[in-house]
Amino acid sequence: MFSDEWTQKEFLENKKALESKGIKVLLIDTILSPINGADTTLYNPYELAKEPEGSVFVFYCDTGKATLNRLDEYKKKFPKHHCISLRGGRGYWRENMTVFDDARA
């Protein structure tokens, strides 16, 4: 259903689309380093397990490599949630990137 990695653009687009359908999407900080301009959640397995079933967890580190390598671990730890790695991690995040609704008809 979901790919293992999302770019920042995919994250922003999918977050908007999924949350409009009532599906929670969280950007999970695994390195104790929040991303400026982004609403991040600190990695806390106990608290994350309480999130609604079907929520999407997008994990990030500095480069995206560690979270991608640990993705199977996250999927086993959170079987009722969708686990994804942020491609490029914190290093590729662009503070000024936004996603607009497609107004073309």
Side-chain angles (χ1 to χ4, degrees):
M1 179 176 201
F2 294 104
S3 63
D4 285 346
E5 282 186 301
W6 281 354
T7 62
Q8 178 184 358
K9 182 177 185 231
E10 288 169 325
F11 167 76
L12 294 170
E13 290 172 345
N14 291 329
K15 178 176 173 68
K16 190 174 204 173
L18 291 168
E19 289 188 344
S20 74
K21 297 176 184 175
I23 299 170
K24 197 167 183 181
V25 179
L26 298 170
L27 186 58
I28 311 296
D29 176 357
T30 66
I31 54 173
L32 300 175
S33 186
I35 295 175
N36 291 335
D39 183 19
T40 62
T41 301
L42 192 59
Y43 179 67
N44 179 332
Y46 178 76
E47 292 299 322
L48 290 173
K50 296 178 184 179
E51 293 296 338
E53 187 172 330
S55 294
V56 178
F57 298 159
V58 181
F59 298 92
Y60 75 88
C61 58
D62 283 321
T63 64
K65 291 178 184 174
T67 51
L68 184 59
N69 289 339
R70 288 196 306 252
L71 202 56
D72 285 337
E73 174 188 326
Y74 296 139
K75 288 179 179 182
K76 287 176 188 167
K77 197 171 281 191
F78 306 108
K80 297 180 180 180
H81 304 91
H82 303 284
C83 298
I84 299 167
S85 175
L86 182 68
R87 181 175 289 158
R90 188 177 190 280
Y92 277 81
W93 188 269
R94 301 297 169 248
E95 284 184 45
N96 298 322
M97 182 182 283
T98 56
V99 177
F100 298 99
D101 290 329
D102 190 358
R104 291 174 273 169

